Amino acid sequence: MANHERNTNILLQLIKLPDNSRCAECGATDPEWASYTLGMFVCLNCSGIHRSLSSRVKSIKLDYWDDKMVEFMKSNGNAKNRALYEKAVPPYYYRPKESDCVVLKEQWIRAKYERMEFTGETKYPPLSYTTGFYEGMLWKKGKENTQFLKRKFVLSEREFTLTYYNKENESKGPKALISIKDINATFQPEKIGHPNGLQITYQDDDHTRNLYVYHESPQEIVTWYNAIRAARYAYLKTAYPTGRDAELIPKITRNYLKEGYMEKTGPLQKEPFKKRWFVLDSQNRKLFYFKGQLDAEELGVVFIGTEKKGYSVKECVPKHAQGNKWKCGVMVETPKRQFVFMCEQDREQKEWLDALKLVLSRPMSPLHQ
């Protein structure tokens, strides 16, 4: 028993070291699990993925650790593991965060330890996201309906385009030719209703266009995601030749700051409230609203500037409103008009207020001046 306590205490001291204090895979704080075959510390969620891949994992606090295992953990650790298995991660390859979906974390772990993609010793032909060209079939949701149909997609880094075709027969030409300049990709498994669901967004004339796609293979959809990121990175390096990676990498793709339903009234604040799906894109400082959460195009968009430019966000109780079922109000004021939105719960109201205020507090880039 004394030996068990001593070994547990040694492990608890090891996870206080800076390199070990976060999960080796997703960066979650205070990891309480460890792989004693790889010698690194991970969070509960990532430990489950490792276990499913036959890596031996134990709880630091709850399981028994013998002296040999503890010595192995002492002589390894997250930094040593990273130096070996992440030696050659491309700058554009997405490293999952704690809040990311399972498919990103699982494929990151598989890429590192099963396929050994980042050791710098890959023997097989270049990976799809390193060649600058990728094509394949994805299940795509119809613009006007909920049906998903197989469509051919072609990504060209040389042309900086993503193209998709309505039919497998390409003789009629592409259905859409999408510029890499304005494209974004973000995983949306819950919204799309598939664990491998990916949302691709781009500018189509005056509208923002959403494509909702998935692939049955987790590896394939994450490959598509990183292929898009590789093309975006190449574009940004061309557009901003003096830009440093620290500046460019956050701009490759982004998750949206906040999404969800709110009720919205019109400019006079006397019109009936209607339920709408809202998406806050902090990078573009835009609050989009859609009729439904899987709509292809937005109904409208509200630009969120700064307080110096006459923008503000606050709680509100509308005076003349009708038809609103929800009672927790958010008012966004712009130089031209006031927007009143209603949230279902206090928690949702606070989350929207916090998110909108975060965008308000950020200085505007020259692009938005």
Side-chain angles (χ1 to χ4, degrees):
M1 192 59 151
N3 195 41
H4 169 63
E5 288 182 7
R6 179 176 60 84
N7 284 341
T8 299
N9 286 330
I10 291 171
L11 294 169
L12 290 173
Q13 291 302 311
L14 286 176
I15 60 171
K16 289 181 180 178
L17 298 174
D19 287 324
N20 297 334
S21 64
R22 289 182 173 271
C23 172
E25 310 300 3
C26 75
T29 56
D30 303 319
E32 294 190 353
W33 292 74
S35 165
Y36 59 93
T37 51
L38 294 166
M40 43 77 165
F41 299 89
V42 293
C43 68
L44 175 62
N45 289 332
C46 290
S47 77
I49 298 171
H50 271 281
R51 184 179 282 114
S52 71
L53 305 183
S54 300
S55 175
R56 302 293 179 85
V57 294
K58 281 178 177 279
S59 165
I60 292 170
K61 294 180 179 178
L62 302 177
D63 291 325
Y64 175 78
W65 290 80
D66 63 32
D67 294 346
K68 189 177 179 181
M69 290 176 186
V70 171
E71 283 303 313
F72 183 72
M73 296 303 300
K74 283 170 67 177
S75 62
N76 285 277
N78 291 2
K80 196 169 181 179
N81 178 276
R82 199 170 290 122
L84 174 61
Y85 292 103
E86 298 180 25
K87 184 179 179 181
V89 181
Y92 53 77
Y93 193 98
Y94 187 80
R95 297 169 179 260
K97 301 179 180 66
E98 181 182 6
S99 58
D100 282 321
C101 59
V102 173
V103 69
L104 275 171
K105 295 176 184 176
E106 182 190 329
Q107 289 305 308
W108 165 248
I109 290 170
R110 286 184 181 275
K112 281 172 67 173
Y113 308 109
E114 277 192 347
R115 301 192 291 272
M116 308 285 280
E117 289 184 17
F118 311 128
T119 59
E121 301 171 1
T122 308
K123 299 293 192 296
Y124 47 86
L127 297 159
S128 49
Y129 43 80
T130 67
T131 60
F133 181 86
Y134 197 50
E135 63 180 341
M137 306 298 289
L138 294 172
W139 289 95
K140 175 191 164 292
K141 178 189 169 295
K143 183 177 179 181
E144 306 296 341
N145 57 48
T146 58
Q147 188 177 15
F148 281 80
L149 296 169
K150 266 191 175 180
R151 298 291 183 242
K152 181 176 181 179
F153 282 76
V154 179
L155 178 71
S156 171
E157 185 177 299
R158 189 181 59 156
E159 304 291 336
F160 290 136
T161 57
L162 176 67
T163 308
Y164 78 89
Y165 299 82
N166 249 5
K167 305 294 180 186
E168 293 188 37
N169 177 7
E170 298 175 32
S171 60
K172 292 184 178 180
K175 177 67 175 174
L177 186 66
I178 302 165
S179 170
I180 292 298
K181 176 178 180 289
D182 299 311
I183 205 169
N184 186 43
T186 178
F187 276 92
Q188 297 276 20
E190 291 182 10
K191 196 159 87 170
I192 294 172
H194 193 283
N196 304 334
L198 186 69
Q199 177 178 331
I200 298 171
T201 304
Y202 63 96
Q203 285 299 119
D204 184 16
D205 295 325
D206 294 332
H207 281 283
T208 299
R209 180 83 158 83
N210 292 321
L211 303 179
Y212 303 98
V213 301
Y214 69 84
H215 197 285
E216 295 295 352
S217 161
Q219 182 180 345
E220 183 72 7
I221 198 66
V222 173
T223 296
W224 267 107
Y225 178 62
N226 281 301
I228 291 170
R229 284 180 58 86
R232 277 280 299 160
Y233 178 71
Y235 166 77
L236 290 169
K237 294 290 276 188
T238 303
Y240 307 98
T242 60
R244 295 177 293 111
D245 277 0
E247 299 167 322
L248 300 182
I249 288 171
K251 291 182 169 64
I252 296 177
T253 59
R254 61 200 180 275
N255 296 331
Y256 298 117
L257 188 58
K258 171 77 178 156
E259 295 191 55
Y261 280 112
M262 291 192 286
E263 293 180 329
K264 176 187 177 296
T265 187
L268 299 177
Q269 298 178 27
K270 294 181 180 180
E271 297 86 348
F273 275 83
K274 294 179 180 178
K275 187 178 175 183
R276 297 290 183 245
W277 180 262
F278 286 80
V279 176
L280 181 57
D281 184 347
S282 61
Q283 184 167 303
N284 287 342
R285 310 187 72 99
K286 289 180 178 179
L287 178 66
F288 297 95
Y289 55 93
F290 304 81
K291 189 173 183 180
Q293 60 178 327
L294 290 179
D295 281 6
E297 293 180 355
E298 80 278 12
L299 291 175
V301 59
V302 183
F303 180 78
I304 310 295
T306 61
E307 289 185 351
K308 286 184 179 179
K309 297 287 185 178
Y311 295 82
S312 64
V313 177
K314 62 182 179 181
E315 291 183 39
C316 76
V317 179
K319 295 176 182 177
H320 310 292
Q322 56 175 317
N324 58 305
K325 297 177 182 177
W326 298 342
K327 307 300 179 187
C328 306
V330 172
M331 179 184 286
V332 175
E333 190 153 1
T334 76
K336 293 184 177 180
R337 65 168 278 196
Q338 290 177 335
F339 293 85
V340 174
F341 312 121
M342 304 302 291
C343 303
E344 186 175 15
Q345 299 171 341
D346 291 341
R347 178 182 57 81
E348 279 287 298
Q349 180 193 42
K350 184 180 185 306
E351 288 177 3
W352 276 112
L353 286 167
D354 288 347
L356 288 161
K357 286 176 181 177
L358 182 61
V359 178
L360 269 175
S361 69
R362 291 175 178 166
M364 289 200 290
S365 69
L367 183 67
H368 295 129
Q369 297 289 344

